[in-house]
Amino acid sequence: MRDIPIDEVTNYASEDADLSLQLKDIFDKELESNGVKAVFYDIETPIINVLSDMEKEGINIDSSYLNQLEQEFEKDLNKLKEEIYNQSGEEFNLNSPKQLGDILFDKLKLVSKPKKTKTGQYSTSEEVLSSLANDHEIIRSILEWRSLDKLQNTYVRSLPNEVSNRTNKIHTKFNQTVTTTGRLSSNNPNLQNIPIRTKNGQKIRKAFIPRNNNFELMAADYSQIELRVIASMSKDPNMIDAFIKNQDIHTITASKIYNINPAEVTREQRGNAKTVNFGIIYGVSAFGLSQQTNLSRSESKVMIDNYFENYPGLKTYMSSQIDFARNKGYVETIMGRRRYLQNINSQNNMIRSGAERNAINAPIQGSAADIIKIAMIRIHNEFKKQSLKSKMLLQVHDELVFDVRNQEKELVKEIVKNTMESAVKLDVPLKVDIEFGKNWLEAH
DNA sequence: GTAATCACG
DNA sequence: ACGTACGTGATTACA
């Protein structure tokens, strides 16, 4: 395929060979709207080559470091396992939630009325176990063993096996046609869920390194892109104002909900406001919020009511999205990408509510996906145009990771920042944070 | 093959 | 009265 600036891509098929002309006829008949056509011709078609180049490029990892880490984790795992067997009085398969549940709730009787999964087994999820952490020594050990075992098997032991013999790098696949919202997915191996939240997880992220000493990794993150998208789509004046003034959105939200000055907001209040902000993106309920915070259901309801009083545009926007979906049967992103919602008029409350949450979430998540995809296409073109040795390696939904040649650091940083921040024009600024490092962890 | 769990945005 | 936050992929156990 020719290398074409994105603005010309719409005309590509009609200007080119007969085959493309025929294909365009076929597609245009299938595509329902100009928006859907734009998504197809201006985003999904040109990004094929971008993703293909990223997959072929691959990313370098430090396998010997991971092997060393495996030994360290293995020691800790064995120690924890012994503790757990001692405390439970018998050996069992720790990987079996069924066996673990029987030990905790039949044998040790940690609770009188254990929570069960939908198949009737005792639930031993992280959420359930954490709530029991104070009741018995064994719980802490199990939780620690679980998280470490996860890291060990999913990442530390597996990633070195994914390194190509030919290139010495890991080549993930970026899938364009998996998600319902327009996001990419990644598999074989999934490089969109590399750990970062825990200390041990961060040790794994350190294993991702530049190709050689003349390069560094660079991570470019959209700051709060989904909240910026919803602020812009809803046109809520207060949320727009916060982003235009470049304020900390969670602190501002807390100050509004609790009716105090931003300077008086406590850590806990900011944390609750953050949870509400995320909840809004997902189509929050009072119950859902109370599950995610230390708030009761009624306190959660007050929080949400306060939230919508202070961001009135969001409330009307959310109802209008649901109305739109009911009338048309789909919702759409800023670029016109559609998600059809079969169940939006269902008689079944639960099913209909689920569709309503999708009606709210899909345009937000999907618009963010549109935006980063447009940025990726333009960055890819610019890198080619300037024959840069630096390469785009990974996309993690709101983040792009690059292998950057030392001489090109300033240039690449400027291209990436400008392109990402100007990918689309919203009613709020887009903000991108960029950092360099000698591994992926340092680049954050 | 399905369920449970947990890693990420 | 009822069940409930959005989107993914990998691993393991077990029928």
Side-chain angles (χ1 to χ4, degrees):
Chain A
M1 194 193 254
R2 286 185 359 225
D3 186 35
I4 308 157
I6 180 169
D7 300 319
E8 293 172 35
V9 169
T10 307
N11 300 318
Y12 165 58
S14 58
E15 286 171 359
D16 220 314
D18 285 351
L19 178 62
S20 296
L21 208 102
Q22 290 169 28
L23 283 176
K24 187 169 189 304
D25 272 356
I26 293 166
F27 286 135
D28 283 357
K29 282 194 193 107
E30 294 294 322
L31 302 178
E32 309 98 312
S33 71
N34 289 333
V36 176
K37 280 183 196 165
V39 169
F40 184 83
Y41 288 114
D42 298 345
I43 298 180
E44 297 306 332
T45 305
I47 208 172
I48 294 170
N49 282 332
V50 181
L51 299 175
S52 160
D53 279 355
M54 290 163 69
E55 292 179 5
K56 281 188 277 189
E57 189 62 41
I59 189 165
N60 196 16
I61 64 162
D62 188 341
S63 288
S64 59
Y65 164 75
L66 281 179
N67 290 334
Q68 192 184 310
L69 194 59
E70 182 181 346
Q71 309 298 316
E72 180 189 322
F73 281 8
E74 201 59 35
K75 253 190 230 161
D76 295 345
L77 281 166
N78 283 330
K79 207 175 134 200
L80 286 163
K81 198 195 273 186
E82 267 187 40
E83 281 175 29
I84 294 163
Y85 291 160
N86 279 335
Q87 289 161 2
S88 61
E90 67 180 285
E91 297 195 359
F92 60 99
N93 187 347
L94 260 171
N95 274 318
S96 165
K98 187 172 176 298
Q99 293 182 35
L100 177 61
D102 290 346
I103 297 271
L104 293 182
F105 303 116
D106 282 341
K107 184 173 180 187
L108 301 176
K109 298 195 192 308
L110 289 192
V111 255
S112 49
K113 247 182 61 192
K115 193 181 159 198
K116 297 200 172 175
T117 67
K118 55 171 172 270
T119 53
Q121 266 188 60
Y122 296 129
S123 170
T124 66
S125 67
E126 197 274 336
E127 189 193 342
V128 168
L129 294 189
S130 287
S131 72
L132 305 174
N134 293 327
D135 298 2
H136 199 296
E137 281 268 306
I138 197 173
I139 297 292
R140 275 194 59 82
S141 310
I142 292 168
L143 284 170
E144 213 180 322
W145 181 89
R146 271 247 184 101
S147 64
L148 200 58
D149 183 68
K150 179 84 170 188
L151 299 179
Q152 181 79 309
N153 289 314
T154 309
Y155 305 101
V156 180
R157 272 189 1 188
S158 307
L159 285 174
N161 300 330
E162 301 284 350
V163 174
S164 157
N165 291 325
R166 199 166 61 76
T167 66
N168 242 0
K169 297 204 176 78
I170 294 187
H171 303 268
T172 185
K173 283 181 57 186
F174 286 110
N175 310 297
Q176 239 176 317
T177 56
V178 171
T179 68
T180 53
T181 57
R183 273 190 175 183
L184 299 174
S185 85
S186 154
N187 67 356
N188 297 313
N190 184 355
L191 294 188
Q192 290 183 319
N193 72 345
I194 300 302
I196 192 171
R197 291 172 187 168
T198 65
K199 276 246 163 62
N200 282 327
Q202 292 178 1
K203 294 178 186 169
I204 293 166
R205 207 164 260 242
K206 279 173 83 172
F208 289 79
I209 56 178
R211 69 183 64 186
N212 64 38
N213 287 337
N214 301 320
F215 285 73
E216 275 186 30
L217 290 188
M218 181 186 98
D221 281 89
Y222 276 114
S223 163
Q224 306 294 355
I225 188 166
E226 292 191 338
L227 283 173
R228 287 170 197 263
V229 164
I230 199 175
S232 184
M233 289 180 102
S234 71
K235 304 216 174 289
D236 180 90
N238 290 336
M239 192 170 273
I240 287 176
D241 185 62
F243 281 124
I244 286 178
K245 290 179 179 157
N246 195 22
Q247 289 168 316
D248 179 315
I249 190 63
H250 302 313
T251 302
I252 293 300
T253 300
S255 78
K256 289 184 186 303
I257 294 178
Y258 293 106
N259 196 25
I260 54 179
N261 289 323
E264 299 172 77
V265 171
T266 66
R267 262 186 66 175
E268 193 191 5
Q269 288 169 330
R270 184 183 182 278
N272 285 337
K274 185 175 176 178
T275 310
V276 184
N277 274 329
F278 275 107
I280 292 302
I281 290 168
Y282 300 147
V284 75
S285 70
F287 179 87
L289 183 61
S290 67
Q291 294 296 297
Q292 299 293 321
T293 59
N294 47 12
L295 302 170
S296 72
R297 207 160 146 178
S298 53
E299 287 169 326
S300 297
K301 186 175 179 326
V302 171
M303 288 275 285
I304 293 168
D305 290 346
N306 280 348
Y307 188 94
F308 285 128
E309 261 178 49
N310 285 287
Y311 295 126
L314 286 189
K315 194 183 175 80
T316 50
Y317 167 74
M318 287 167 65
S319 333
S320 74
Q321 286 295 89
I322 291 169
D323 279 346
F324 185 99
R326 280 184 190 145
N327 292 327
K328 307 228 180 183
Y330 63 86
V331 286
E332 54 189 10
T333 65
I334 48 174
M335 293 300 291
R337 184 192 303 276
R338 292 183 181 182
R339 173 162 182 183
Y340 283 85
L341 295 165
Q342 202 80 52
N343 297 322
I344 193 70
N345 291 307
S346 168
Q347 303 296 310
N348 181 319
N349 259 310
M350 208 173 63
I351 291 176
R352 191 179 61 253
S353 301
E356 288 173 358
R357 290 195 294 275
N358 294 151
I360 291 162
N361 175 262
I364 302 167
Q365 192 179 113
S367 296
D370 290 347
I371 292 169
I372 196 168
K373 281 176 169 176
I374 290 169
M376 290 167 74
I377 293 163
R378 294 181 182 170
I379 289 167
H380 186 256
N381 281 340
E382 195 59 30
F383 277 25
K384 268 204 166 150
K385 196 165 133 196
Q386 302 202 27
S387 305
L388 299 183
K389 294 283 182 251
S390 304
K391 301 289 177 194
M392 192 174 353
L393 302 182
L394 302 175
Q395 188 252 44
V396 192
H397 310 305
D398 63 357
E399 170 188 9
L400 297 175
V401 180
F402 298 84
D403 200 12
V404 181
R405 194 186 189 192
N406 284 334
Q407 302 95 296
E408 296 172 354
K409 277 174 73 172
E410 287 315 306
L411 177 60
V412 163
K413 182 176 177 180
E414 184 161 318
I415 292 171
V416 169
K417 188 170 169 72
N418 290 342
T419 309
M420 287 176 79
E421 290 184 343
S422 67
V424 297
K425 179 97 183 78
L426 299 181
D427 289 356
V428 296
L430 287 173
K431 191 182 164 207
V432 172
D433 298 317
I434 295 190
E435 283 188 61
F436 290 89
K438 63 178 194 293
N439 60 58
W440 193 5
L441 180 64
E442 263 188 25
H444 263 277

